Amino acid sequence: MGKTIGFLLAGIAGGVLSGLFGIGGGTVLIPIFGLLLAFDQHKAQGTSLVALIPPTGLLAVIAYAKSGYVSWWTGALLIPGLFVGGIIGAKIARRMEPRRMRQVFAILMFALGAWEAMGALRR
Amino acid sequence: MSVVVLLIGLCAGIMVGLLGIGGGILIVPALVYLLHMDQHAAQGTSLFVLLPPIGLGALLEYRKKGDVDFRAGILCALGMLIGGYLGGRIAVPMSSDHLKQLFGAFLMFSALLLWSKASKKTVSTEPAVSTEGGS
Protein backbone atom coordinates (compact mmCIF):
# COMPACT_ATOMS: atom_id res chain seq x y z
CA MET A 1 0.00 0.00 0.00
CA GLY A 2 2.73 2.43 0.99
CA LYS A 3 4.59 1.47 -2.14
CA THR A 4 1.54 1.97 -4.35
CA ILE A 5 1.17 5.51 -3.08
CA GLY A 6 4.90 6.05 -3.48
CA PHE A 7 4.75 5.02 -7.14
CA LEU A 8 1.75 7.26 -7.78
CA LEU A 9 3.49 10.21 -6.13
CA ALA A 10 6.64 9.52 -8.14
CA GLY A 11 4.46 9.60 -11.25
CA ILE A 12 2.88 12.92 -10.32
CA ALA A 13 6.31 14.45 -9.62
CA GLY A 14 7.58 13.06 -12.92
CA GLY A 15 4.50 14.38 -14.69
CA VAL A 16 4.80 17.92 -13.36
CA LEU A 17 8.41 18.12 -14.51
CA SER A 18 7.47 16.46 -17.79
CA GLY A 19 4.87 19.11 -18.54
CA LEU A 20 7.09 21.88 -17.24
CA PHE A 21 10.18 20.99 -19.27
CA GLY A 22 8.75 19.09 -22.23
CA ILE A 23 10.54 15.88 -21.33
CA GLY A 24 9.38 12.33 -20.83
CA GLY A 25 9.74 12.31 -17.08
CA GLY A 26 12.24 9.46 -17.01
CA THR A 27 14.89 11.89 -15.82
CA VAL A 28 12.83 12.27 -12.67
CA LEU A 29 11.56 8.72 -12.32
CA ILE A 30 14.96 7.07 -12.59
CA PRO A 31 16.58 8.97 -9.72
CA ILE A 32 13.42 8.39 -7.63
CA PHE A 33 13.43 4.65 -8.37
CA GLY A 34 17.16 4.36 -7.88
CA LEU A 35 17.77 6.63 -4.92
CA LEU A 36 14.50 6.47 -2.94
CA LEU A 37 13.04 3.08 -3.84
CA ALA A 38 16.39 1.27 -4.11
CA PHE A 39 15.91 -0.20 -7.60
CA ASP A 40 19.18 -1.05 -9.33
CA GLN A 41 19.98 1.16 -12.32
CA HIS A 42 18.87 -1.31 -15.03
CA LYS A 43 15.57 -2.01 -13.32
CA ALA A 44 14.97 1.70 -12.73
CA GLN A 45 15.51 2.35 -16.44
CA GLY A 46 13.38 -0.57 -17.64
CA THR A 47 10.54 0.47 -15.36
CA SER A 48 10.78 4.09 -16.46
CA LEU A 49 10.28 2.89 -20.04
CA VAL A 50 6.96 1.27 -19.01
CA ALA A 51 5.75 4.65 -17.78
CA LEU A 52 6.72 6.15 -21.16
CA ILE A 53 4.59 3.77 -23.26
CA PRO A 54 1.11 5.20 -22.60
CA PRO A 55 0.56 8.76 -23.92
CA THR A 56 1.03 10.24 -20.46
CA GLY A 57 1.90 13.67 -21.83
CA LEU A 58 -1.41 14.04 -23.68
CA LEU A 59 -2.87 16.69 -21.37
CA ALA A 60 0.44 18.58 -21.40
CA VAL A 61 0.57 18.54 -25.22
CA ILE A 62 -2.94 19.96 -25.32
CA ALA A 63 -1.88 22.75 -22.96
CA TYR A 64 1.07 23.61 -25.24
CA ALA A 65 -0.89 23.21 -28.49
CA LYS A 66 -3.53 25.69 -27.33
CA SER A 67 -0.82 28.36 -27.30
CA GLY A 68 0.58 27.22 -30.66
CA TYR A 69 3.71 25.76 -29.08
CA VAL A 70 3.84 22.48 -31.03
CA SER A 71 5.69 21.96 -34.33
CA TRP A 72 3.86 18.88 -35.62
CA TRP A 73 6.00 18.23 -38.72
CA THR A 74 9.33 18.37 -36.87
CA GLY A 75 7.86 16.11 -34.24
CA ALA A 76 6.70 13.55 -36.78
CA LEU A 77 10.21 13.40 -38.26
CA LEU A 78 11.74 12.72 -34.84
CA ILE A 79 9.62 9.67 -34.09
CA PRO A 80 11.20 6.99 -36.37
CA GLY A 81 14.72 7.78 -35.15
CA LEU A 82 13.60 7.57 -31.54
CA PHE A 83 12.13 4.14 -32.04
CA VAL A 84 15.13 2.65 -33.85
CA GLY A 85 17.65 4.39 -31.61
CA GLY A 86 15.82 3.06 -28.59
CA ILE A 87 16.50 -0.53 -29.57
CA ILE A 88 20.17 0.21 -30.30
CA GLY A 89 20.62 1.97 -26.96
CA ALA A 90 18.94 -0.83 -25.03
CA LYS A 91 21.25 -3.40 -26.61
CA ILE A 92 24.26 -1.36 -25.48
CA ALA A 93 22.76 -0.92 -21.99
CA ARG A 94 22.38 -4.68 -21.49
CA ARG A 95 26.15 -5.10 -21.71
CA MET A 96 26.99 -2.38 -19.18
CA GLU A 97 27.33 -2.74 -15.45
CA PRO A 98 24.87 -0.70 -13.32
CA ARG A 99 27.39 1.61 -11.66
CA ARG A 100 28.96 2.59 -15.00
CA MET A 101 25.45 3.19 -16.38
CA ARG A 102 24.56 5.55 -13.60
CA GLN A 103 27.73 7.51 -14.29
CA VAL A 104 27.00 7.74 -18.03
CA PHE A 105 23.50 8.92 -17.18
CA ALA A 106 24.78 11.58 -14.79
CA ILE A 107 27.44 12.91 -17.18
CA LEU A 108 25.03 13.20 -20.11
CA MET A 109 22.43 14.92 -17.98
CA PHE A 110 24.92 17.38 -16.55
CA ALA A 111 26.27 18.24 -20.01
CA LEU A 112 22.78 18.80 -21.44
CA GLY A 113 21.76 20.86 -18.42
CA ALA A 114 24.82 23.06 -18.79
CA TRP A 115 24.10 23.43 -22.52
CA GLU A 116 20.57 24.66 -21.80
CA ALA A 117 21.41 26.95 -18.92
CA MET A 118 24.46 28.53 -20.56
CA GLY A 119 22.50 29.31 -23.71
CA ALA A 120 19.93 31.24 -21.71
CA LEU A 121 22.57 33.18 -19.77
CA ARG A 122 24.69 34.09 -22.79
CA ARG A 123 22.05 36.37 -24.29
CA MET B 1 16.95 20.39 -42.33
CA SER B 2 14.85 17.22 -42.44
CA VAL B 3 18.02 15.14 -42.24
CA VAL B 4 19.12 17.04 -39.14
CA VAL B 5 15.76 16.34 -37.52
CA LEU B 6 15.98 12.63 -38.36
CA LEU B 7 19.48 12.48 -36.85
CA ILE B 8 18.37 14.26 -33.70
CA GLY B 9 15.66 11.61 -33.43
CA LEU B 10 18.16 8.79 -33.77
CA CYS B 11 20.53 10.25 -31.15
CA ALA B 12 17.66 10.84 -28.74
CA GLY B 13 16.47 7.30 -29.44
CA ILE B 14 19.81 5.85 -28.41
CA MET B 15 19.38 7.72 -25.13
CA VAL B 16 15.89 6.23 -24.79
CA GLY B 17 17.30 2.72 -24.86
CA LEU B 18 20.56 3.39 -23.09
CA LEU B 19 19.16 5.47 -20.24
CA GLY B 20 15.50 4.48 -20.07
CA ILE B 21 14.27 8.04 -20.58
CA GLY B 22 12.09 9.68 -23.18
CA GLY B 23 14.88 11.57 -24.88
CA GLY B 24 13.24 14.94 -24.24
CA ILE B 25 16.33 16.17 -22.38
CA LEU B 26 18.23 15.88 -25.68
CA ILE B 27 15.41 16.86 -28.05
CA VAL B 28 14.63 20.15 -26.31
CA PRO B 29 18.16 21.66 -26.38
CA ALA B 30 18.75 20.26 -29.89
CA LEU B 31 15.60 21.92 -31.26
CA VAL B 32 16.46 25.18 -29.50
CA TYR B 33 20.10 25.42 -30.55
CA LEU B 34 20.31 23.47 -33.80
CA LEU B 35 16.93 24.41 -35.29
CA HIS B 36 16.58 27.75 -33.48
CA MET B 37 13.17 26.95 -32.13
CA ASP B 38 11.70 28.94 -29.28
CA GLN B 39 11.96 27.19 -25.88
CA HIS B 40 8.20 26.71 -25.54
CA ALA B 41 7.83 25.35 -29.08
CA ALA B 42 10.72 22.94 -28.48
CA GLN B 43 9.10 21.67 -25.29
CA GLY B 44 5.65 21.33 -26.85
CA THR B 45 7.11 19.47 -29.83
CA SER B 46 9.13 17.21 -27.56
CA LEU B 47 6.00 16.31 -25.59
CA PHE B 48 4.15 15.53 -28.82
CA VAL B 49 6.97 13.23 -29.94
CA LEU B 50 6.71 11.32 -26.68
CA LEU B 51 3.02 10.48 -27.17
CA PRO B 52 3.53 7.39 -29.41
CA PRO B 53 5.11 4.37 -27.69
CA ILE B 54 8.62 5.22 -28.94
CA GLY B 55 10.23 3.25 -26.10
CA LEU B 56 8.48 -0.04 -26.87
CA GLY B 57 11.41 -1.60 -28.72
CA ALA B 58 13.75 -0.60 -25.91
CA LEU B 59 11.34 -1.89 -23.27
CA LEU B 60 11.26 -5.34 -24.87
CA GLU B 61 15.07 -5.46 -24.71
CA TYR B 62 14.99 -4.68 -20.97
CA ARG B 63 12.32 -7.29 -20.39
CA LYS B 64 14.55 -10.01 -21.81
CA LYS B 65 16.72 -9.60 -18.74
CA GLY B 66 13.81 -9.12 -16.34
CA ASP B 67 14.80 -5.54 -15.58
CA VAL B 68 11.22 -4.25 -15.53
CA ASP B 69 8.68 -3.64 -12.74
CA PHE B 70 5.41 -3.30 -14.65
CA ARG B 71 3.26 -2.47 -11.63
CA ALA B 72 5.47 0.42 -10.60
CA GLY B 73 5.64 1.68 -14.18
CA ILE B 74 1.89 1.65 -14.70
CA LEU B 75 1.20 3.41 -11.40
CA CYS B 76 3.73 6.09 -12.35
CA ALA B 77 2.10 6.53 -15.74
CA LEU B 78 -1.22 7.29 -14.01
CA GLY B 79 0.38 9.95 -11.85
CA MET B 80 2.22 11.41 -14.83
CA LEU B 81 -0.97 12.03 -16.77
CA ILE B 82 -2.21 14.33 -14.02
CA GLY B 83 1.18 15.84 -13.25
CA GLY B 84 1.86 16.55 -16.92
CA TYR B 85 -1.20 18.71 -17.16
CA LEU B 86 -0.17 20.70 -14.07
CA GLY B 87 3.37 21.16 -15.39
CA GLY B 88 2.11 22.33 -18.76
CA ARG B 89 -0.13 24.88 -17.09
CA ILE B 90 2.86 26.24 -15.14
CA ALA B 91 5.25 26.35 -18.12
CA VAL B 92 3.08 27.99 -20.77
CA PRO B 93 2.85 31.42 -19.11
CA MET B 94 6.57 31.48 -18.11
CA SER B 95 9.19 33.41 -20.10
CA SER B 96 11.39 31.32 -22.41
CA ASP B 97 14.62 32.34 -20.72
CA HIS B 98 13.40 31.51 -17.23
CA LEU B 99 12.18 28.17 -18.47
CA LYS B 100 15.53 27.45 -20.08
CA GLN B 101 17.47 28.30 -16.92
CA LEU B 102 15.16 26.25 -14.75
CA PHE B 103 15.48 23.29 -17.12
CA GLY B 104 19.27 23.53 -17.14
CA ALA B 105 19.46 23.85 -13.37
CA PHE B 106 17.13 20.89 -12.91
CA LEU B 107 19.22 18.64 -15.18
CA MET B 108 22.49 19.59 -13.50
CA PHE B 109 21.02 19.06 -10.04
CA SER B 110 19.70 15.60 -10.91
CA ALA B 111 23.03 14.75 -12.50
CA LEU B 112 24.95 15.65 -9.35
CA LEU B 113 22.57 13.62 -7.21
CA LEU B 114 23.05 10.55 -9.38
CA TRP B 115 26.78 11.04 -9.64
CA SER B 116 27.19 11.15 -5.87
CA LYS B 117 25.25 7.89 -5.66
CA ALA B 118 27.25 6.24 -8.45
CA SER B 119 30.57 7.22 -6.92
CA LYS B 120 29.84 5.32 -3.76
CA LYS B 121 29.70 1.62 -4.37
CA THR B 122 26.25 0.68 -5.61
CA VAL B 123 24.58 -1.99 -3.55
CA SER B 124 21.40 -3.02 -5.34
CA THR B 125 20.15 -5.01 -2.39
CA GLU B 126 20.14 -2.21 0.18
CA PRO B 127 16.76 -1.86 1.95
CA ALA B 128 14.18 0.52 0.50
CA VAL B 129 13.87 3.80 2.35
CA SER B 130 10.10 4.11 2.07
CA THR B 131 8.76 0.69 2.98
CA GLU B 132 10.02 -2.86 3.24
CA GLY B 133 12.81 -4.00 0.88
CA GLY B 134 12.36 -6.24 -2.14
CA SER B 135 9.53 -6.14 -4.59
Side-chain angles (χ1 to χ4, degrees):
Chain A
M1 189 59 203
K3 270 202 167 172
T4 305
I5 292 170
F7 292 142
L8 276 171
L9 287 178
I12 292 175
V16 169
L17 290 158
S18 161
L20 189 56
F21 297 134
I23 58 179
T27 350
V28 190
L29 293 183
I30 291 167
I32 292 177
F33 287 149
L35 305 181
L36 293 180
L37 302 169
F39 281 33
D40 76 45
Q41 185 71 9
H42 281 86
K43 198 172 172 196
Q45 298 189 179
T47 304
S48 160
L49 284 170
V50 177
L52 290 173
I53 298 298
T56 53
L58 189 61
L59 298 175
V61 171
I62 293 170
Y64 278 83
K66 270 186 192 159
S67 306
Y69 289 142
V70 180
S71 170
W72 304 102
W73 173 238
T74 308
L77 282 176
L78 286 168
I79 292 169
L82 278 166
F83 186 81
V84 175
I87 298 171
I88 299 170
K91 285 191 187 295
I92 301 170
R94 281 172 66 186
R95 301 213 185 91
M96 285 170 77
E97 56 124 353
R99 186 161 160 264
R100 173 60 52 78
M101 278 229 315
R102 201 167 270 175
Q103 287 171 342
V104 169
F105 192 112
I107 290 169
L108 274 170
M109 233 156 65
F110 192 86
L112 289 166
W115 192 21
E116 271 282 315
M118 292 310 132
L121 295 175
R122 214 184 295 131
R123 282 186 293 146
Chain B
M1 151 94 181
S2 294
V3 178
V4 175
V5 181
L6 285 170
L7 284 177
I8 295 172
L10 188 65
C11 292
I14 292 176
M15 290 183 71
V16 170
L18 188 59
L19 306 177
I21 59 178
I25 61 168
L26 176 71
I27 293 173
V28 173
L31 292 182
V32 169
Y33 293 113
L34 301 180
L35 300 181
H36 308 291
M37 243 186 220
D38 158 77
Q39 180 76 13
H40 283 90
Q43 295 192 180
T45 304
S46 166
L47 282 169
F48 159 58
V49 167
L50 297 172
L51 289 184
I54 44 123
L56 193 59
L59 176 63
L60 296 178
E61 290 292 325
Y62 277 82
R63 208 187 56 169
K64 285 183 194 162
K65 268 183 73 183
D67 285 328
V68 181
D69 184 334
F70 281 96
R71 188 169 151 269
I74 291 164
L75 285 168
C76 277
L78 271 176
M80 282 173 68
L81 187 68
I82 304 158
Y85 177 70
L86 299 175
R89 288 292 296 270
I90 299 169
V92 167
M94 274 174 81
S95 90
S96 267
D97 271 356
H98 280 155
L99 202 51
K100 228 178 250 179
Q101 287 162 3
L102 200 62
F103 185 18
F106 157 72
L107 287 181
M108 288 191 284
F109 173 74
S110 311
L112 290 174
L113 208 66
L114 275 168
W115 183 265
S116 68
K117 180 79 175 185
S119 305
K120 291 174 216 148
K121 60 179 182 338
T122 309
V123 186
S124 58
T125 51
E126 70 189 345
V129 179
S130 57
T131 51
E132 84 288 353
S135 57

